[in-house]
Amino acid sequence: MKNSAQLYKALSERILILDGAMGTMLQRYKFEEEDYRGERFKDWEHPVKGNNDLLSLTQPHAIEEVHRKYLDAGADILETNTFSGTTIAMADYHMEDLVYELNYESAKIARKVCDEFTAKNPDKPRFVAGSIGPTNRTASLSPDVNDPGYRAITFEDLRLAYKQQSEALLDGGSDILLVETIFDTLNAKAALFAIDEIQEERGIQIPIMVSGTITDASGRTLSGQTAEAFLISVSHLNLLSVGFNCALGANQLTPYLETLAHNSEFHVSAYPNAGLPNAFGQYDESPDQMAAQIKEYVEKGLINIIGGCCGTTPEHIKAIADLVDKYEPRKVKDFV
């Protein structure tokens, strides 16, 4: 991979900044059904409002603008606008045939903006992380309480879907593949299996970020794993980083990051929400409040990559970037 050496060098020198929430920023545009459709999909037979990935085709200027704001705020790594970019998730909109194009074009938009910023400041190279979300199906759990043995998806279905997405993200110019918001590690294993196949077929080493989500105060993922069990489950591949995102605010995430930091030979990433949602589903934590909580991460030497998930904005990312600039990245131990 072309930029891998630069990426590992940057990680050895400083804490890298991941961007913040794409969805939070897109809400500000107040796009309606016709905006999502654009000219190309104006006669589509099914509603498409809410399909944020589609905006990479119909409102690419908005996606580019959001990316620019995060890079201006200090982000080193941009996530592509592809959280739901699999045939499995796109089936909700009957848009499975668009999956390759959606991922390819999303990666191209992020690549273009990153290259512009890197050209202006070569000492701070910017990187594209191809976002691979969890899909809306789970391979470990039955969606039917009356039939616990039933599964709505198979490992093979997931492998094929993730492989198609991953190939398009790489072809569009991604430096990293980010398997994120993992609530079911079996889904993640299908993604990692697919990525490993691509590494073998293409004869390349792909920097892979893996980010799980602890769903509540039990300290477990939705499929029941503790932080340590999650780490063990994904450590069979040589990962760039392992970490957690979403579900919790920065404060609640600390003990789980400590588990990863003390037991992993990989870099550790975190991108929490801006606190917990209020009664209206909004996130109230200000940039300064969030940065104050993340200070604990850096004082304890827990992280190598930090960003924001739901509710975070360029203002949050700037506050975090300004804070961590004064701290050393976590030292990556060799457990072998």
Side-chain angles (χ1 to χ4, degrees):
M1 299 281 287
K2 190 176 64 154
N3 295 326
S4 290
Q6 277 187 311
L7 175 60
Y8 279 93
K9 181 174 183 291
L11 272 168
S12 70
E13 295 169 346
R14 57 198 168 87
I15 296 170
L16 295 191
I17 306 296
L18 190 67
D19 60 6
M22 175 61 78
T24 299
M25 295 300 289
L26 290 175
Q27 284 171 8
R28 296 181 174 184
Y29 290 86
K30 296 185 165 52
F31 287 137
E32 294 299 336
E33 180 72 29
E34 60 269 25
D35 302 305
Y36 277 86
R37 288 172 176 264
E39 187 58 31
R40 179 172 165 188
F41 300 101
K42 68 178 196 299
D43 298 323
W44 198 255
E45 290 177 6
H46 308 278
V48 295
K49 186 179 176 184
N51 185 357
N52 283 350
D53 294 23
L54 182 63
L55 296 173
S56 293
L57 303 183
T58 56
Q59 304 289 342
H61 64 282
I63 305 302
E64 191 174 315
E65 193 170 56
V66 172
H67 284 329
R68 281 181 196 285
K69 285 178 177 170
Y70 280 123
L71 291 182
D72 277 330
D76 298 288
I77 303 170
L78 280 185
E79 290 184 65
T80 56
N81 178 41
T82 54
F83 187 79
S84 301
T86 56
T87 47
I88 297 159
M90 280 296 143
D92 288 354
Y93 303 98
H94 303 270
M95 289 185 156
E96 298 95 322
D97 291 348
L98 290 170
V99 161
Y100 185 90
E101 185 185 1
L102 283 172
N103 285 280
Y104 179 79
E105 292 300 330
S106 294
K108 267 182 72 177
I109 294 168
R111 175 82 272 151
K112 173 192 165 196
V113 185
C114 278
D115 288 349
E116 279 177 27
F117 274 73
T118 301
K120 279 187 234 163
N121 183 4
D123 292 335
K124 187 178 164 71
R126 313 299 178 102
F127 306 98
V128 177
S131 167
I132 299 171
T135 82
N136 47 9
R137 306 280 176 92
T138 166
S140 290
L141 303 169
S142 172
D144 183 356
V145 292
N146 298 312
D147 186 0
Y150 172 71
R151 296 292 180 270
I153 194 90
T154 67
F155 186 91
E156 182 62 8
D157 293 335
L158 288 162
R159 181 191 71 82
L160 289 169
Y162 285 131
K163 190 169 185 184
Q164 181 188 22
Q165 181 179 26
S166 300
E167 287 179 325
L169 287 168
L170 292 169
D171 293 348
S174 298
D175 302 301
I176 301 161
L177 290 180
L178 167 56
V179 183
E180 64 170 321
T181 323
I182 298 161
F183 59 81
D184 181 349
T185 310
L186 192 56
N187 285 39
K189 279 179 171 289
L192 294 173
F193 189 89
I195 294 167
D196 203 27
E197 278 188 316
I198 297 167
Q199 290 190 127
E200 208 169 300
E201 288 164 9
R202 298 192 178 191
I204 56 173
Q205 282 291 315
I206 302 165
I208 306 165
M209 294 176 67
V210 168
S211 185
T213 188
I214 299 288
T215 46
D216 57 35
S218 72
R220 293 172 181 266
T221 64
L222 189 67
S223 54
Q225 283 188 312
T226 61
E228 194 167 9
F230 168 72
L231 172 63
I232 292 165
S233 297
V234 297
S235 291
H236 57 289
L237 276 185
N238 183 23
L239 304 175
L240 176 73
S241 69
V242 64
F244 290 116
N245 72 292
C246 202
L248 302 174
N251 222 14
Q252 296 87 359
L253 208 54
T254 309
Y256 313 117
L257 291 176
E258 287 179 320
T259 297
L260 297 185
H262 297 152
N263 294 287
S264 173
E265 72 242 49
F266 308 126
H267 298 94
V268 170
S269 71
Y271 49 115
N273 293 344
L276 297 173
N278 62 25
F280 304 101
Q282 304 296 310
Y283 294 85
D284 299 324
E285 209 161 77
S286 72
D288 288 343
Q289 287 170 324
M290 191 171 177
Q293 292 175 16
I294 282 168
K295 192 173 183 186
E296 186 178 6
Y297 299 177
V298 288
E299 285 178 339
K300 289 181 172 179
L302 301 180
I303 54 165
N304 305 93
I305 301 169
I306 183 75
C309 205
C310 305
T312 57
T313 64
E315 292 74 29
H316 288 82
I317 296 306
K318 184 174 189 319
I320 292 166
D322 289 347
L323 166 80
V324 305
D325 189 45
K326 309 174 190 74
Y327 291 86
E328 292 290 309
R330 168 182 164 270
K331 294 285 176 278
V332 179
K333 301 175 196 160
D334 189 350
F335 282 79
V336 178

